[in-house]
Amino acid sequence: MSQLLEAFSWLADPTRWSGTDGIPTRLLEHLWYTALGVVVAAVIAVPIGLLVGHTGRGRGLVVALSGAARALPTLGLITLFGLWLGIGLKAPILAFVVLAIPSLLAGAYSAVESVDPRTVDAARAQGMTEWQILSRVEVPLGLPLLISGFRLAIVQVVATVMLASYIGNGGLGRFIFLGLQLQDYPQMLAGSILVVALALVLDVALRVLERLLAPRGAARG
Amino acid sequence: MIRFDHVGKTYPGGTTAVEDFSLTIDSHASVVLVGTSGSGKTTLMRMVNRMVDPTSGRVLIDDEDVAGVDPVKLRRSIGYVMQASGLLPHRTVAENVATVPLLEGVSRRRSRSRALALLEMVGLDHRLGDRYPSQLSGGQQQRVGVARALASDPNILLMDEPFGAVDPIVRAELQKELLRLQSELGKTILFVTHDIDEAFLIGEQVVILRPGGEIAQQGTPAEILADPADDFVESFVGSGVGKRALHVDEVSGQQVVLDAGDRPVGVLREGSRS
Ligand SMILES: Nc1ncnc2c1ncn2[C@@H]1O[C@H](COP(=O)(O)OP(=O)(O)OP(=O)(O)O)[C@@H](O)[C@H]1O
Ligand SMILES: [Mg+2]
């Protein structure tokens, strides 16, 4: 209990809120790593997921690969990629990409699959091209599921990005690993609190976005 | 003119929906395909806009085989009203009606004013244009479906049980509206239903189908009623022992018309209409 109080007083210390190794800098680094990982993953996973959802082909393969990727321990991946790519940002980002892909893939193909096949049939019968069906019917109607895929990916990566500090990068994980080294438990705890708070805030914000972007006119659950 | 030339369709699963079907539909005519569920009506209709490609035979529109026409272009040139309206739930009624004009690059403003005019034409208040389909009744949605099918001013109108899901009163209204529209527009209409009364009302020509898309009888409603080809047609149109064999009885001084089961279906008035 007293350690928790000490952690909060560590956080309340104004000197921690400025400078190149202050909380704001680490927070921005943390968000930056998260964005990098999720964006790269999205560039790979979203088009594939949409295509699988639209054509119905390759679903089995994608589900199997996602399942396999989910089972990989991220710390192990970072270590492995670190041995291969060396110290720096590349290895952890690559690991976050692997971490984010399954949620994004699932979000993308389930978004398309959630659209009533009769609506898709009607769109096709009116003379929409396959691309128009995807971009004007399936994506807008499936948008909430697509975003919830992003939300899951972001929350997973945000919680894991602290591992980047494990091989010498910035981010909120710095406080945790530094605290561990120095046996400064309040600092460790404060770092953890920051990570948890960030994950919660992002989760809520993205849930709100999901609501706002739900297609008008479509029945809401 | 639409011509089915010995078309057949066997679906990938192995179901043969249509064996060997031939029919010519003259321009500006309205032809109704009628038959029991699963007799291949929808399959035949969807061959016209290439939503289904026949596994044998050809479909020709004005002597051109549709197999050689780009399906997207073909579909935009043919009006198609579907059984369950098939409106896009995330677009307003006006946007739904304007689907094809918008796809064809007509400006937003012009498509919208055309859409609103079409809504009025099918008997809807143009103010419904800004609603979403889920905010309309089933009957209103079907009217929107008809308006959408008319939006690109197509020569051909395909209508697949368009009034199947609405109550009898609304249904009768919609049928009347369709007849009015047709007398103004003179489209080539291919209409599908399993309701023989609707078929006789809408169709100049009626084609009665057996399962497998086999034609049991084809002709004007009067021809079919007067001379059913066989027992199947007879039971289908309900002549002979059915409800169309009427007799008159006198009840409280009125000439009441009764069907074969002695249920009253109307009152006889002499010379009330001329
Ligand atoms: N996409 C499909 N794949 C496999 N079989 C199909 C498909 N569409 C239709 N069928 C089968 O083909 C047969 C004819 O179907 P179709 O939809 O043409 O009948 P219909 O006369 O329109 O019936 P309904 O009055 O019920 O609409 C049925 O046995 C149906 O199960
Ligand atoms: Mg049908």
Side-chain angles (χ1 to χ4, degrees), chain A residues 96-186:
Chain A
F96 304 149
V97 168
V98 173
L99 179 69
I101 280 178
S103 304
L104 289 167
L105 262 181
Y109 71 69
S110 57
V112 174
E113 283 174 358
S114 73
V115 180
D116 188 339
R118 286 170 304 181
T119 303
V120 174
D121 184 77
R124 188 172 288 123
Q126 298 304 313
M128 285 198 186
T129 62
E130 295 307 304
W131 169 248
Q132 287 165 338
I133 292 169
L134 185 63
S135 62
R136 301 185 189 192
V137 179
E138 289 170 332
V139 168
L141 285 172
L143 204 55
L145 278 174
L146 188 61
I147 295 175
S148 95
F150 269 91
R151 178 171 55 78
L152 288 174
I154 289 171
V155 170
Q156 273 174 318
V157 173
V158 138
T160 316
V161 155
M162 58 173 195
L163 295 181
S165 320
Y166 170 71
I167 55 170
N169 296 290
L172 294 171
R174 267 297 253 275
F175 300 126
I176 298 172
F177 285 105
L178 209 64
L180 194 62
Q181 266 171 28
L182 304 175
Q183 301 203 328
D184 177 359
Y185 297 116

Side-chain angles (χ1 to χ4, degrees), chain A residues 118-130 132 136-137 140-141 215-219, chain B residues 46 49 51 72 75-76 78 80 82 84 86-91 99-100 102-103 132 134 148:
Chain A
R118 286 170 304 181
T119 303
V120 174
D121 184 77
R124 188 172 288 123
Q126 298 304 313
M128 285 198 186
T129 62
E130 295 307 304
Q132 287 165 338
R136 301 185 189 192
V137 179
L141 285 172
R216 296 193 58 198
Chain B
R46 286 163 74 92
N49 63 358
M51 287 299 285
V72 167
R75 289 167 196 157
R76 288 184 192 175
I78 294 175
Y80 184 24
M82 313 180 85
L87 299 175
L88 302 179
H90 60 306
R91 296 203 171 174
T99 302
V100 174
L102 285 172
L103 289 174
Y132 287 92
S134 61
R148 175 176 67 175

Side-chain angles (χ1 to χ4, degrees), chain B residues 35-98:
Chain B
T36 47
S37 193
S39 53
K41 307 181 294 292
T42 300
T43 301
L44 283 167
M45 166 166 281
R46 286 163 74 92
M47 287 179 185
V48 177
N49 63 358
R50 292 199 61 190
M51 287 299 285
V52 169
D53 283 322
T55 39
S56 60
R58 322 173 285 167
V59 176
L60 304 121
I61 295 179
D62 298 332
D63 295 320
E64 190 185 5
D65 189 343
V66 295
V69 183
D70 170 38
V72 167
K73 247 171 85 187
L74 182 71
R75 289 167 196 157
R76 288 184 192 175
S77 72
I78 294 175
Y80 184 24
V81 187
M82 313 180 85
Q83 189 158 1
S85 87
L87 299 175
L88 302 179
H90 60 306
R91 296 203 171 174
T92 65
V93 166
E95 286 166 348
N96 264 287
V97 173

Side-chain angles (χ1 to χ4, degrees), chain B:
Chain B
M1 191 184 72
I2 306 170
R3 193 151 68 87
F4 293 90
D5 180 21
H6 295 287
V7 291
K9 176 69 186 181
T10 301
Y11 283 104
T15 317
T16 299
V18 177
E19 298 252 8
D20 177 3
F21 178 90
S22 294
L23 177 74
T24 301
I25 301 170
D26 292 326
S27 295
H28 312 294
S30 54
V31 171
V32 177
L33 300 181
V34 57
T36 47
S37 193
S39 53
K41 307 181 294 292
T42 300
T43 301
L44 283 167
M45 166 166 281
R46 286 163 74 92
M47 287 179 185
V48 177
N49 63 358
R50 292 199 61 190
M51 287 299 285
V52 169
D53 283 322
T55 39
S56 60
R58 322 173 285 167
V59 176
L60 304 121
I61 295 179
D62 298 332
D63 295 320
E64 190 185 5
D65 189 343
V66 295
V69 183
D70 170 38
V72 167
K73 247 171 85 187
L74 182 71
R75 289 167 196 157
R76 288 184 192 175
S77 72
I78 294 175
Y80 184 24
V81 187
M82 313 180 85
Q83 189 158 1
S85 87
L87 299 175
L88 302 179
H90 60 306
R91 296 203 171 174
T92 65
V93 166
E95 286 166 348
N96 264 287
V97 173
T99 302
V100 174
L102 285 172
L103 289 174
E104 294 283 271
V106 176
S107 77
R108 289 215 143 253
R109 204 145 46 89
R110 278 193 45 208
S111 330
R112 180 177 163 83
S113 64
R114 168 128 182 89
L116 297 184
L118 279 162
L119 287 178
E120 299 275 353
M121 188 166 164
V122 298
L124 290 175
D125 190 327
H126 68 264
R127 276 171 300 184
L128 293 184
D130 292 321
R131 292 211 196 158
Y132 287 92
S134 61
Q135 298 168 317
L136 300 185
S137 73
Q140 288 170 329
Q141 289 186 25
Q142 286 310 126
R143 285 176 198 259
V144 175
V146 175
R148 175 176 67 175
L150 292 171
S152 61
D153 197 18
N155 294 323
I156 296 173
L157 212 49
L158 306 176
M159 307 184 86
D160 191 354
E161 300 190 37
F163 312 139
V166 295
D167 68 65
I169 294 173
V170 175
R171 187 170 203 183
E173 232 172 78
L174 290 168
Q175 290 166 342
K176 232 170 54 196
E177 295 269 349
L178 177 63
L179 289 173
R180 177 183 62 79
L181 275 174
Q182 174 60 358
S183 68
E184 285 170 26
L185 303 175
K187 305 284 183 197
T188 303
I189 296 183
L190 179 56
F191 191 104
V192 158
T193 180
H194 53 239
D195 176 349
I196 189 70
D197 293 308
E198 185 168 73
F200 283 168
L201 182 67
I202 306 281
E204 291 156 11
Q205 286 280 320
V206 172
V207 179
I208 298 179
L209 294 178
R210 267 191 252 275
E214 188 195 331
I215 297 181
Q217 190 171 4
Q218 170 186 356
T220 65
E223 284 165 0
I224 293 173
L225 259 181
D227 185 18
D230 56 20
D231 290 350
F232 175 79
V233 175
E234 197 158 280
S235 71
F236 205 90
V237 302
S239 55
V241 295
K243 61 179 174 167
R244 283 181 209 282
L246 306 175
H247 60 275
V248 177
D249 206 352
E250 200 170 291
V251 181
S252 6
Q254 295 269 8
Q255 301 271 88
V256 176
V257 182
L258 305 168
D259 70 8
D262 282 333
R263 276 180 298 268
V265 294
V267 179
L268 201 64
R269 294 237 192 281
E270 269 161 58
S272 61
R273 243 179 233 203
S274 56

Side-chain angles (χ1 to χ4, degrees), chain A residues 43-122:
Chain A
V43 167
I44 298 165
V46 171
I48 294 175
L50 293 179
L51 208 68
V52 166
H54 181 76
T55 61
R57 273 183 228 148
R59 193 176 188 282
L61 184 70
V62 163
V63 172
L65 284 178
S66 295
R70 279 202 167 110
L72 294 174
T74 307
L75 187 59
L77 272 186
I78 292 179
T79 314
L80 200 67
F81 291 151
L83 289 174
W84 171 37
L85 297 164
I87 296 292
L89 211 48
K90 276 195 209 136
I93 296 295
L94 197 59
F96 304 149
V97 168
V98 173
L99 179 69
I101 280 178
S103 304
L104 289 167
L105 262 181
Y109 71 69
S110 57
V112 174
E113 283 174 358
S114 73
V115 180
D116 188 339
R118 286 170 304 181
T119 303
V120 174
D121 184 77

